Amino acid sequence: MNLENLQALTTEGKNESSSDLDQLSARGIVQMMNDEDKKVPYAIERVLDQVSDAVEVISHALEKGGRLFYFGAGTSGRLGILDASECPPTFGTQPELVQGVIAGGPSAMVRAVEGAEDSFELGQEDVHKYGVTKNDVVVGIAASGRTPYVLGVLAEAQKIEAKTVAVSCNKPSYINEGVDVAINVVVGPEVLTGSTRLKAGTAQKLVLNMLTTATMIRLGKVYGNLMVSVQATNLKLKERVKRIIMEVTGASYEEAEQLADQADGDAKTAIIMKLTGSSREEATRLLNVTNGRIREAIQQLD
């Protein structure tokens, strides 16, 4: 496939089902979009092995002190930034642990930066600009699978021996070359020809959800299906922390509130205090030696 032959890309193809799109009623348009969107989870189901392989690569790197970087242009870049920005409040991570980078820099989040996605060299430069090292994992996101910026990122990341993952919505995909894991979610032509913020964007968002959520679960930032690492930064989240403490320990609302206060809003610390009878200092120590894993912390005292 020639790099410039965009018509050969599935994501650029014409969807025959929507050829009369402009003649449909509002109800007809949204029905057609919904019908097409239903295809996305099935496309992802076909690549779950590759997604789980990527989770293993990312989890291993983060356990060893590495970081996760998303690089993309346009919608792909915005989705990477969105997923990265949700990790600190959801999992209590430092902002540096998962980072999203968009071609053209932060201003490209709201306004297209002309030519940024077409620059292989800019991709190479951004790998160094953002301090990627061989201990990190770089995920290149490109619906087309051929965005020069992402190709530059992945090529440079491989040079410095960082682990690399490619996420695209075409197969074959140029960004697959040399990567440790290639995830190609082929969702077919868009309802609106070439508008990859639609099915392709949805597919990428679902894959990124899986990458970070599964990784954080593997790293012990979840207990059962509860967000025990959530940061209590507003009233809603403070109440969520109390409910989590109640759910795990059986404490009353009043006791959960006291435990949360004693633990400075940290659900994990409060849970360990309640379940083991430990002081806040001892609970903190147990969590430190077990890398924040509640089950292992409790077993330390068995």
Side-chain angles (χ1 to χ4, degrees):
M1 182 173 64
N2 187 294
L3 189 60
E4 299 308 318
N5 187 11
L6 295 178
Q7 290 305 114
L9 302 176
T10 302
T11 49
E12 295 293 325
K14 182 180 179 181
N15 189 327
E16 296 301 330
S17 299
S18 62
S19 57
D20 296 326
L21 189 64
D22 65 332
Q23 299 178 51
L24 298 179
S25 65
R27 184 64 171 78
I29 293 169
V30 298
Q31 181 66 59
M32 179 163 290
M33 293 181 70
N34 185 242
D35 289 342
E36 288 293 316
D37 287 342
K38 291 174 185 176
K39 299 176 182 178
V40 175
Y42 294 105
I44 292 175
E45 187 173 24
R46 292 192 287 269
V47 297
L48 287 179
D49 286 344
Q50 290 72 42
V51 177
S52 61
D53 288 344
V55 169
E56 295 288 358
V57 169
I58 297 166
S59 301
H60 182 75
L62 269 56
E63 281 185 317
K64 300 295 184 182
R67 298 163 296 171
L68 169 62
F69 286 87
Y70 291 131
F71 285 88
T75 297
S76 297
R78 295 181 187 101
L79 289 170
I81 291 173
L82 174 61
D83 194 65
S85 66
E86 294 287 356
C87 287
T90 306
F91 301 110
T93 59
Q94 293 299 311
E96 296 78 21
L97 186 68
V98 182
Q99 300 181 44
V101 180
I102 186 170
S107 63
M109 276 293 290
V110 294
R111 187 185 298 270
V113 176
E114 295 297 330
E117 72 173 67
D118 294 327
S119 176
F120 185 94
E121 293 74 19
L122 179 60
Q124 292 176 300
E125 292 168 8
D126 276 357
V127 168
H128 298 286
K129 178 180 178 180
Y130 289 91
V132 177
T133 74
K134 66 179 182 180
N135 301 317
D136 301 325
V137 180
V138 169
V139 177
I141 315 167
S144 68
R146 46 78 64 202
T147 305
Y149 173 82
V150 176
L151 286 167
V153 165
L154 291 171
E156 196 65 18
Q158 288 165 24
K159 280 185 184 177
I160 63 175
E161 300 182 351
K163 294 293 184 181
T164 51
V165 176
V167 178
S168 86
C169 294
N170 277 289
K171 190 174 183 180
S173 167
Y174 278 98
I175 65 171
N176 288 356
E177 177 144 5
V179 301
D180 295 283
V181 184
I183 303 170
N184 306 118
V185 189
V186 183
V187 294
E190 301 286 3
V191 167
L192 183 62
T193 305
S195 183
T196 52
R197 70 185 186 88
L198 300 178
K199 286 190 299 184
T202 300
Q204 291 173 82
K205 178 65 169 70
L206 293 178
V207 169
L208 302 190
N209 285 349
M210 292 177 178
L211 294 183
T212 47
T213 303
T215 292
M216 296 304 167
I217 293 169
R218 298 296 301 275
L219 295 179
K221 297 188 179 298
V222 172
Y223 184 82
N225 64 353
L226 300 173
M227 291 193 293
V228 290
S229 299
V230 65
Q231 293 185 342
T233 54
N234 58 43
L235 181 60
K236 180 187 77 172
L237 296 179
K238 288 177 182 177
E239 289 301 309
R240 180 176 294 165
V241 166
K242 296 172 195 174
R243 292 199 307 274
I244 288 171
I245 296 169
M246 293 167 64
E247 173 75 19
V248 175
T249 70
S252 66
Y253 180 87
E254 291 73 18
E255 187 178 12
E257 190 169 39
Q258 291 175 355
L259 287 164
D261 287 342
Q262 293 169 15
D264 281 345
D266 185 78
K268 284 186 177 182
T269 302
I271 289 167
I272 298 297
M273 290 168 63
K274 172 63 176 175
L275 294 182
T276 66
S278 301
S279 65
R280 174 185 165 185
E281 291 73 24
E282 176 65 3
T284 300
R285 185 191 70 79
L286 290 170
L287 288 168
N288 284 338
V289 300
T290 59
N291 292 320
R293 290 176 165 85
I294 291 177
R295 297 184 196 278
E296 292 180 18
I298 294 170
Q299 290 170 0
Q300 289 282 313
L301 295 180
D302 289 346

